[in-house]
Amino acid sequence: MNPELADSPFLRACRRQPVPRTPVWFMRQAGRSLPEYRAVRGGVPMLTACATPDLIVEITMQPVRRYGVDAAIFFSDIVVPLKAIGIDLDIKPGVGPVVAAPIRDAAALRALRPLEPGDVAYVTEAVRTLTGELGATPLIGFAGAPFTLASYLIEGGPSKNHDHTKAMMYGEPDLWHALMDRLTEITLGFLRVQIDAGASAVQLFDSWVGAVAPEDYREFVLPYTRRIFTGLAGLDVPRIHFGVGTGELLGLLGEAGADVVGVDWRVPLDEAARRVGPGKALQGNLDPAILLAPWEAVERRAADILERGGKAEGHVFNLGHGVLPATDPDQLARLTDFVHETSAR
């Protein structure tokens, strides 16, 4: 890693080192809120875009050019590695990932073969191009965590209550653990491909794990999340762990082994620091909906988050979930400048 990149505010904050200012990036910073994104995605299905190196590079770079954020996040989707190993799925507009044949028995597990680097050669190509273009700006690779991937595969698509998922977890624990074991290896493989190609940090998204009680997380989820972070430990890249609705799980997310714990908007950052415990940086945690309010409301909340984030050993400013499609890009540009100027040491 070149010294200028290693010294970036984002990577320093992830490593709990002193920073000249609080770094900022936004989950889903490249996406439907940007007119330039809508222009290049016009008529191109999501999974096609995620497998086209030129589009991946362009879309990943768009928010870096527009906002001057401190990190880029690789444009992809959490189901890309599943598609790459041959799972019949599609991302339907307005719905999300839809799986043609949900996995609900041992026979169906055979579809989940290991991911090989050649399955996602377009990822390697795009990451290598991006790291060249980004220079001193870090690139964050990412993957979906096994619980969230399992939920999509078992339910067949997005689910409000995760009925089939929990039924398997509680009623067929051997099948559950076999499924999680396979998804853990696929996720590890996908993250390693991105790191080997040059990504300088990774984030594990466990979007739906807030549906699980702490004792169930410890038994049915934590061993697999921990295995992923342990498997990446020797690669010298910061590891970020993020989930939605995970206020009651923050201590366990800290136990899983990431360097940075992402916090959604439901728990103030100073309280999150207490729950997560020492030895971790925090990321977050502005409510994405606030960006639809007048600037005065955004500024007030952002200032509060910066103050509370100062109680953590390291703080990366972000939203508590992804940018909403109706967000005015000018609000995000103004917010980036505000975070940089207000936090400048």
Side-chain angles (χ1 to χ4, degrees), residues 12-317:
R12 289 186 65 85
C14 289
R15 294 185 166 121
R16 296 176 288 122
Q17 297 168 342
V19 290
R21 63 172 193 264
T22 300
V24 54
W25 70 278
F26 305 109
M27 288 183 279
R28 215 182 294 134
Q29 63 188 15
R32 288 170 291 173
S33 63
L34 287 175
E36 55 266 43
Y37 170 84
R38 295 194 295 273
V40 299
R41 267 291 316 280
V44 181
M46 179 66 174
L47 286 172
T48 302
C50 291
T52 307
D54 289 352
L55 270 179
I56 296 169
V57 171
E58 170 58 24
I59 293 168
T60 301
M61 291 298 298
Q62 284 174 350
V64 179
R65 297 187 201 114
R66 184 184 270 264
Y67 303 133
V69 284
D70 294 287
I73 185 159
F74 187 70
F75 174 73
S76 187
D77 189 272
I78 64 171
V79 299
V80 162
L82 300 180
K83 181 76 170 178
I85 62 167
I87 299 295
D88 186 359
L89 60 81
D90 196 13
I91 297 176
K92 300 203 170 171
V95 179
V98 176
V99 179
I103 292 178
R104 295 179 187 166
D105 57 38
L109 282 182
R110 286 196 287 269
L112 292 173
R113 67 167 176 82
L115 179 82
E116 304 293 337
D119 296 325
V120 286
Y122 47 86
V123 169
T124 299
E125 181 182 339
V127 171
R128 285 178 177 161
T129 303
L130 278 164
T131 53
E133 287 200 23
L134 285 163
T137 301
L139 176 67
I140 305 166
F142 81 90
F147 177 87
T148 294
L149 295 179
S151 181
Y152 279 120
L153 287 172
I154 297 166
E155 304 291 341
S159 171
K160 186 176 180 182
N161 298 313
H162 309 279
D163 316 40
H164 296 289
T165 305
K166 290 186 175 183
M168 183 191 292
M169 194 171 76
Y170 296 135
E172 298 181 86
D174 289 347
L175 180 58
W176 172 262
H177 288 298
L179 174 59
M180 291 290 279
D181 184 70
R182 293 194 184 208
L183 290 172
T184 296
E185 289 307 311
I186 290 165
T187 300
L188 251 177
F190 192 54
L191 290 171
R192 283 179 178 142
V193 163
Q194 295 171 72
I195 293 167
D196 289 346
S200 43
V202 289
Q203 176 158 309
L204 189 67
F205 282 85
D206 215 346
S207 309
W208 305 134
V209 81
V212 174
E215 60 270 27
D216 293 326
Y217 182 92
R218 186 176 290 283
E219 179 179 355
F220 295 109
V221 182
L222 180 59
Y224 304 100
T225 315
R226 183 179 276 146
R227 208 163 96 203
I228 290 168
F229 289 128
T230 301
L232 301 174
L235 300 179
D236 194 33
V237 297
R239 301 154 296 169
I240 308 168
H241 193 12
F242 173 74
V244 183
T246 49
E248 296 300 320
L249 303 177
L250 284 172
L252 289 162
L253 296 189
E255 281 183 40
D259 305 290
V260 185
V261 175
V263 184
D264 75 10
W265 65 91
R266 296 166 176 89
V267 179
L269 283 182
D270 47 356
E271 170 60 14
R274 187 190 69 76
R275 294 186 191 185
V276 170
K280 308 287 178 186
L282 296 185
Q283 179 176 280
N285 68 336
L286 187 71
D287 185 340
I290 281 228
L291 291 164
L292 306 180
W295 169 251
E296 293 70 29
V298 178
E299 182 179 51
R300 189 167 59 250
R301 289 294 184 97
D304 182 62
I305 286 165
L306 285 170
E307 185 177 344
R308 292 176 188 271
K311 307 290 194 300
E313 295 179 33
H315 177 215
V316 176
F317 190 98

